[in-house]
Amino acid sequence: LFSILFNEASINSRIQRMEWELFLSQLKKEIHSSDGIEIVNGQLVLINGEDKITFQKYGTQLRRQVNMKGHEIVLQNVASVLFIKSSGSVRIEVLDSFSKTHIGIAYPFIRAGSSG
């Protein structure tokens, strides 16, 4: 019985790692193509033309919305999330429900004439 429980925890941890990698890859692409980036009330806000794309914790999930509409779950089993913007990057720190911390850094595409 212990072996079965341990194996299930290991499988859940691997699935969570794969979800994180997929989420981070998609987020990096979205940040790369955005026109502006803001952190507002703990939410990541990306400006893309006329659209505001937000990423926020919603229960134990990380949700993506466009113009405050929709409910696209981009990551599950989230205990906490922290977005940190610096002059040249966005750092994402997620503590999952399995007490594992995931950290990623995304760099926006630098456009000619933009101030960052």
Side-chain angles (χ1 to χ4, degrees):
L1 182 62
F2 181 74
S3 176
I4 292 170
L5 292 175
F6 181 75
N7 192 33
E8 183 177 338
S10 176
I11 290 170
N12 288 338
S13 178
R14 285 184 289 191
I15 290 171
Q16 186 69 18
R17 182 70 185 172
M18 288 188 300
E19 284 186 12
W20 165 255
E21 293 295 336
L22 179 60
F23 160 72
L24 186 59
S25 176
Q26 292 172 336
L27 182 62
K28 283 180 177 181
K29 288 179 185 177
E30 199 146 17
I31 287 173
H32 187 76
S33 65
S34 67
D35 299 322
I37 302 167
E38 302 171 358
I39 310 294
V40 180
N41 298 324
Q43 299 178 23
L44 176 63
V45 180
L46 305 178
I47 310 301
N48 194 347
E50 297 292 317
D51 294 328
K52 276 192 171 185
I53 302 155
T54 58
F55 293 85
Q56 68 187 94
K57 187 173 180 300
Y58 184 80
T60 60
Q61 303 166 331
L62 193 61
R63 152 172 97 173
R64 177 184 181 272
Q65 291 184 302
V66 178
N67 299 323
M68 302 306 290
K69 296 179 183 171
H71 179 75
E72 180 183 355
I73 301 304
V74 293
L75 192 61
Q76 301 180 88
N77 299 310
V78 174
S80 67
V81 63
L82 180 62
F83 299 105
I84 304 164
K85 181 182 175 196
S86 67
S87 60
S89 66
V90 176
R91 181 179 170 102
I92 306 100
E93 298 180 10
V94 171
L95 175 65
D96 68 25
S97 300
F98 308 103
S99 298
K100 172 81 172 128
T101 301
H102 306 274
I103 298 172
I105 299 176
Y107 300 92
F109 182 74
I110 300 171
R111 293 175 173 79
S114 70
S115 60

